[in-house]
Amino acid sequence: MILPLALAATLLTAPAAAPAPDAKECSSPYLVEQTLPNGARWRLCWEMRNIEGLAITRVSYTPAGSKAVRVLRTAALAQIHVPYDSGEPRFHDIGALGPSAIALTDADCPDGERREQKVCVLTRPRGHAFLKDGYGDAAQRRSAQGRELVVLSAYQVGWYTYIAEWILGDDGSITPRVGATGSLAGFTTAPKHGWPIGVGRRHFEESHSHNIFWRLDFDLNGKGRDVVEQYDFAGNGTKKRTMARTVFKRETKALNQRMRWWRVVDPRVLNADRHPVSWEINNSDSSEYRGPKDEGFTHSDVYVTQYRACERLASMNSAPRCKESVDAYTGRERLTDPVLWVNVGFHHVARDEDADPMPVHWQGFRVTPRDVTAKNPYAG
């Protein structure tokens, strides 16, 4: 559902609906501080923005027995683009997520804490952290179950209910993801554009994509020193495989490829092994939708841009004195304070199981610590 451009421009320049103070002064209900069972600790602030909805700011991770590491200055949703397979409609669902936030119930936040009724903070199991058999020696057998901190909110946008989660693991990982649930749109289409829903083959529910963008402003212990690198591994069909590193010195558009990932590194922040601390970005689960020429923002999977305060949305940005979409932001400017934009696509082909209420389908990506600690954070 597209927000009128004039209203979007107004909201983009307006303050957040529930602004968090600076993290140095951040207090309840905007402050989240959580120590997980393995001793790892997360600290962050949240705010409910008029346009993007839930954003997290000043995010720090403290491995067990170590010092805190600043990870993110700010991170938020940047667009939910929903084009239908017949060519129309083509929604941009981020227009006013903050006002669309749903009041959560206890059932929506099991064993967690509701903040301002619209944000849930909870911890939950994440499965095995590790398992080592011990090669038959029972005394050497070791395993541990992991746990994660989750900060979430939900929004009603047209037929869809979107659940936005920021998942922060006790291993230092960050998983941004969005789940779509609610109801199907009910658009009837030709068989080549949809799937038969209901009795017989009278109604073909139209297939469509959800192209979700996140904006991540990394800040590894201070702005101005972060570097973005791309890693590729060549050698399919051969016994040997080689690694190639590309350092992005200027604004860049990047595509997903097999055996490709990115990292944000500060060369001057070192772990105990004197290796630079970094966070790895893996976007291997995207359906990689590519739209027409006038939807250039869908033509890449990762964008790296120089920080500008007005560049908040991946499309329909509409802020005064700022370009309209992330592909236009990427103009080869030299990177001194990089911002990453990650585009994850999901192609929704409806099925009978999607009858009301529609089961949630998730999409997202993973940010993994690389050399943040010199050993397994569970190793003690």
Side-chain angles (χ1 to χ4, degrees):
M1 300 183 71
I2 299 175
L3 190 71
L5 290 178
L7 178 56
T10 299
L11 289 176
L12 275 168
T13 56
D22 186 276
K24 294 178 182 178
E25 304 172 357
C26 186
S27 59
S28 181
Y30 304 109
L31 175 65
V32 177
E33 291 184 288
Q34 181 69 51
T35 300
L36 295 165
N38 76 332
R41 182 171 180 263
W42 286 97
R43 184 180 192 276
L44 60 95
C45 283
W46 66 268
E47 57 188 47
M48 186 63 70
R49 295 180 175 178
N50 288 318
I51 293 285
E52 304 99 319
L54 176 66
I56 57 174
T57 65
R58 303 299 180 106
V59 180
S60 295
Y61 168 63
T62 307
S66 187
K67 296 180 180 179
V69 180
R70 173 68 55 78
V71 186
L72 292 161
R73 185 190 312 174
T74 184
L77 280 168
Q79 192 50 267
I80 302 175
H81 175 236
V82 189
Y84 280 73
D85 280 16
S86 66
E88 294 293 341
R90 311 183 73 77
F91 295 122
H92 297 249
D93 277 346
I94 286 191
L97 279 193
S100 302
I102 296 169
L104 302 174
T105 67
D106 288 340
D108 303 320
C109 190
D111 300 318
E113 179 186 0
R114 286 180 290 150
R115 306 278 185 97
E116 302 287 282
Q117 301 301 312
K118 295 185 177 182
V119 172
C120 170
V121 178
L122 58 86
T123 66
R124 66 190 181 197
R126 66 173 181 88
H128 275 93
F130 69 88
L131 190 158
K132 183 177 180 178
D133 178 58
Y135 305 104
D137 183 349
Q140 297 298 317
R141 193 185 193 286
R142 301 175 65 192
S143 70
Q145 294 291 310
R147 202 157 181 91
E148 59 193 16
L149 167 68
V150 184
V151 184
L152 69 88
S153 56
Y155 312 92
Q156 191 63 42
V157 183
W159 309 276
Y160 274 95
T161 305
Y162 291 112
I163 305 169
E165 291 189 341
W166 294 94
I167 305 170
L168 303 111
D170 55 7
D171 58 350
S173 62
I174 303 173
T175 305
R177 69 173 189 167
V178 169
T181 179
S183 303
L184 292 168
F187 292 159
T188 300
T189 190
K192 64 182 179 180
H193 297 309
W195 195 267
I197 298 296
V199 178
R201 298 176 62 85
R202 295 189 297 272
H203 175 87
F204 286 81
E205 182 75 23
E206 188 166 348
S207 302
H208 53 281
S209 291
H210 294 258
N211 305 311
I212 300 184
F213 293 77
W214 287 262
R215 179 186 182 277
L216 300 123
D217 184 3
F218 282 88
D219 186 3
L220 305 190
N221 281 10
K223 67 178 182 179
R225 300 182 305 192
D226 297 342
V227 177
V228 182
E229 301 172 343
Q230 177 176 286
Y231 286 82
D232 290 281
F233 294 79
N236 284 344
T238 67
K239 290 184 178 180
K240 294 184 178 180
R241 179 164 287 170
T242 58
M243 182 179 74
R245 178 180 69 127
T246 303
V247 179
F248 294 154
K249 296 182 178 180
R250 297 188 180 274
E251 294 176 319
T252 304
K253 304 171 186 177
L255 300 175
N256 286 335
Q257 289 187 13
R258 300 292 183 189
M259 303 297 292
R260 171 176 284 180
W261 44 268
W262 301 265
R263 75 165 181 165
V264 181
V265 57
D266 186 332
R268 288 180 281 185
V269 180
L270 306 178
N271 70 8
D273 284 343
R274 301 197 61 76
H275 296 151
V277 165
S278 66
W279 260 264
E280 175 184 325
I281 295 93
N282 189 296
N283 186 17
S284 59
D285 294 333
S286 176
S287 65
E288 299 179 17
Y289 173 89
R290 303 290 183 247
K293 185 177 181 179
D294 62 353
E295 292 177 348
F297 59 91
T298 66
H299 293 180
S300 296
D301 304 297
V302 171
Y303 297 85
V304 185
T305 65
Q306 175 67 7
Y307 173 83
R308 290 185 182 279
C310 67
E311 294 175 353
R312 288 170 52 180
L313 298 184
S315 70
M316 306 290 288
N317 192 62
S318 304
R321 299 180 299 280
C322 190
K323 294 181 180 178
E324 189 174 328
S325 58
V326 67
D327 55 306
Y329 308 156
T330 315
R332 302 291 296 163
E333 185 176 351
R334 189 169 184 83
L335 293 169
T336 59
D337 187 6
V339 174
L340 272 77
W341 307 72
V342 181
N343 169 19
V344 181
F346 174 80
H347 189 225
H348 187 187
V349 180
R351 54 189 180 139
D352 282 340
E353 288 85 351
D354 286 337
D356 243 49
M358 181 175 64
V360 63
H361 55 78
W362 293 99
Q363 62 198 98
F365 63 102
R366 189 169 173 85
V367 181
T368 306
R370 174 166 289 279
D371 306 327
V372 172
T373 56
K375 59 182 180 180
N376 184 340
Y378 265 90

